Amino acid sequence: MVATSYSSIRCWAAVIAVFSIYLVIVDAVKHHDFKTCQQAGFCKRQQAYADAATSSGSSWVSPYILSSESIALKDGKLVGTILKAARGGETIRLPLEVTFLASGAARVTVDEERRRKGDIELRHKSKAKKQRYNEAGQWALVGGLDVAKAAIKEDEKDRVTRVRYGPSNSYVAVISHDPFRIEFVRDGETHVAINGRGFFNIEHWRPKVEKKPDAGDGNGDNATEDDSTWWEETFGGNTDSKPKGPESVGVDIDFPDYGHVYGIPEHATPLSLKETRGGGAGQYSQPYRMYNADVFEYEMDSPMTLYGSIPFMQAKRKGSTVGVLWLNAAETWVDIQKSKVSSNPLSLGIGGRTSTQTHWFSESGILDVFVFLGPTPQDVVRSYTELTGTAQLPPYFSVAYHQSRWNYFTDQDVRDVDRKFDKHNIPYDAIWLDVEYTDDRKYFTWDPLNFKDPIGMQQQLDERDRKLVVLVDPHIKKTSNYFVVDELTSKGYAMLDKEGKIYEGWCWPGASHWVDCFNPAALKWWAGLYRYDRWKDTTPIVYLWNDMNEPSIFNGPDISAPRDNLHHGNWEHRDLHNLNGLTIIEGTYQGLVERKKGERRRPFVLTRSFFAGSQRFGAVWTGDNLATWPHLAASIPMILSLNIAGFPNAGADVGGFFGNPSIELLTRWYQAGAFYPFFRTHAHIDTRRREPYLAEEPYRSMIASAIRLRYQLLPAWYTAFHEAHVDGSPILRPQYYVFPDDERGFAIDDQFYFGSTGLLVKPVVVEGATTTDVYLADDEPYYDYFDYTIHRGPGTKTLAAPLDKMPVLMQGGHVIPRRDRFRRSSGLMRWDPFTLVVVLDKQGRAEGTLYVDDGDSFEYQEGAFIHRRFVVDLGGSNASNSIRSEDFTRPSPSSSSSSSSSSSSSSAPPSKKTKAKANATKSKLATKYIGSMQAVRIEKIIIIGSLPATWSSSSSSLSTKRTVVIRDEDEEEDNDKNKASPRRRHAEMFCHPAHDGKAAWAVIRDPKVGVVADWTIDFP
């Protein structure tokens, strides 16, 4: 480890004195720092309410009735009033809205009339806002809210209202009045039921009075009221004053005949979520918790909260997928229980139908639920991302490999690492600096002793087209002569305590204040700090990492902010906690867009904390993992869960953050990491240095091969990122997403498909393994990526997996773009030629796409991009016997999908998007870019699979040479395809026969075709 300077030692001494537990590697997560359901008053109450309803069975009488007289439907929105029969004969009015959206989704919101009007009294002279928090959508939602005005209300019967909506009004919302519940019906079946079990419970406002003995009537409020935590609650040395009293919301959401549910990241759990109630073997004893928190060294197979929360769930059964979004930013818990019903009483449970029942409850806010009726996984994800936005199209460099640790301590250290990567011929694109680069942990500064020449350091990196990513956290050191804290406090941009004073807590710098980016002015100020003229000695190669943005506060409850702290608008922290990280990265994103007037470049921002919508602004990683095999294994379902929840640009710290991995574990982790969308190694300050070149042979070559594989496939990766940006598609796709009718794959979460490439990846996550099992769901041929060995399904196949190899299979039917010339960084590959790998299906066909732009600017929004589709048909007598390249321009997403939230619309990147077809967008920028790529060619086409018999020689063991004809697409048709012309030329193709279980393959070298042009290769 590089020696530290005196200033670093001084800084460490101050930090150790306050929170030394963060500076050593401990044995396990400290559970006492984080609440269980039994320690969270509202969670305990909501579970008790559900238990009372369940134990009462058919005798349970829900206190919630929808007033029939209040119901009205106009322009796609049904309104009404739910009446809650409360203790003492009081009736609580709860405004209901059910909005039917043009996308086919439905939105259900329930508020509390008295709080909405501000007709309540706050305790302790609190300045908190009286209303229930209803602004989560201003941050999380950016589109998809157009109302389906054609929704039709049918005649009311038996106190049931039916509304037809969705595609051709084929969906039905069945709204029962007494008790209140809603069933969402598609194709004559109920797919989602809200309050079907009567758990709907909104804790209404009531004044604090002396408790009087009251036996209650066994139903509603009275049956389960426990007021011990209504008015205050103590945890972690902090007492929550609760000025508004109890205000939680909860309801059951059930999925009849759906046996699997996925989503609600972030948790270190299997992809198919486990049960949390019922007490069965393998179930959790706690609900899934969503309360963004700094949980270092988190444990495996646990529903405890982690760093981010996306309250979006999908339910799956054969042939159908549905979903819900619980739009609430307060602390949220989700219970899951399954029930199985046999159609035949003599079947002993075999072959029955499984239904999944969930129970959601949040500490505060309104009830706000979106329902998506699918029916495919693609439909559900598309509808969700239409609301919350699609993933950012990242700068190209960020899709490559990132080298990081806590910390590279000097600028010379950075330069030395950079040189050694070159010396060992290992590519990388970005090197990262953790907190130690700053002057005494003051962000937007440089340590004057250890980083004496930050500009020179950046210039060296820039010579190889590499970038620098540095850490900036939202805790601002409380100290004198520091312009950031001076402006934060003087301008009123800091988070406040419950009394309205600037809140002070402890984090890495010691005493700190926290920026409140819920304040639009504060968000704009935060963005402005990234300008070159404010953050001295930064250049365009500097990008950002926002850590600790849950927010992490070492001396706070749940290692975070007190819940009665105040934010902009006097909203309490409890109301919006899970949104905090999103607001920080939104400001950072905009700051990088606007670093210099007239210069608009795509930002790269990594965040640890997130919420629905955070995908619009950057990447995420799974936090402080451990260098253990279970953590490597857990990274796969964790990243898959993020992908299906609309946040595909995700990864895990390669090698593990805490601890020192064995060389076998490190090698396997690099192999897996090469297929993480976000590919970064990172390590704790107390770990041994583990740069790839430090490994001894043969491990160094194995690790380097994994990294080079990532660079080889960068064209496919960037194409997958573009697809995610356009329609929300996951980049890593679980088995159920690709094969939605194959029930055998619904619980598989240790293998995945990469984008639309057909690459099936199975990371090896078991120590000492030399083989691994891969499940193939279809009967298409699969080929080993490296040696073309043939595997056929359906079924489970055992594959060889020595340490120098990770199983990667190519599914027949795809064309995979790649670049085979290795450079020191992705930027140096910009003008390199492409290779196309054609993987034939059993019909002799294949198809694939390639997306290319400058990888840096927003000019792709003006048409400055190339999008090609490659169509291959070698399938028999009626086949065209050709490979064709054609333009595949697709509409870009609406401006809302990658812009910022409406709460801060000024932070949107340039929003003008091309929506034209292939040749309709001919702006100057488009023409310029396409012209710059005219010389970039396809240098090689590899064809794998059952080649046409006419390509073989008389001797099956010999390679053969054939001639193919290349013609430009705009050439006039000529019946003689073999005839040469200025725009028709010949190329040689070498065919290699199948042998020893390996597929036949052919290669066309230098066909002299460009990546820009339309062309066809004919096989006479």
Side-chain angles (χ1 to χ4, degrees), residues 21 26-34 295-297 304 559:
I21 61 169
V26 295
D27 294 331
V29 61
K30 293 185 177 296
H31 286 280
H32 59 76
D33 286 335
F34 305 99
V295 186
F296 64 99
E297 293 202 326
M304 77 178 297
I559 317 298

Side-chain angles (χ1 to χ4, degrees), residues 397 400-404 408 413-422 425-432 457 460-462 464-469 670 679 681 692-693 707-708 711 714 823-828:
F397 86 88
Y401 172 63
H402 300 251
Q403 179 65 38
S404 180
Y408 295 115
D413 190 6
V414 172
R415 289 173 181 246
D416 182 59
V417 171
D418 180 66
R419 285 189 291 263
K420 287 179 178 176
F421 266 89
D422 287 345
N425 196 28
I426 301 174
Y428 86 99
D429 262 66
I431 192 165
W432 291 51
M457 173 185 64
Q460 177 177 318
L461 296 174
D462 194 35
R464 298 287 186 265
D465 217 336
R466 290 172 176 147
K467 316 301 179 188
L468 180 69
V469 182
Y670 265 100
F679 183 21
T681 186
Y693 52 76
I707 296 173
R708 292 187 188 116
Y711 279 78
L714 279 178
R823 307 289 185 182
R824 295 176 178 179
S825 71
S826 66
L828 299 179

Side-chain angles (χ1 to χ4, degrees), residues 499-514:
E499 297 177 352
K501 300 176 183 178
I502 293 176
Y503 173 74
E504 179 180 322
W506 286 84
C507 205
W508 292 126
S512 303
H513 302 305
W514 275 259

Side-chain angles (χ1 to χ4, degrees), residues 879-923:
S880 64
N881 289 312
S882 66
I883 300 176
R884 185 173 74 254
S885 172
E886 61 189 23
D887 190 71
F888 190 51
T889 304
R890 299 163 62 177
S892 295
S894 65
S895 60
S896 64
S897 66
S898 61
S899 67
S900 68
S901 64
S902 59
S903 64
S904 178
S905 60
S906 63
S907 70
S911 60
K912 185 177 180 182
K913 302 279 184 112
T914 175
K915 294 183 179 180
K917 297 294 183 181
N919 56 3
T921 305
K922 296 297 181 183
S923 69

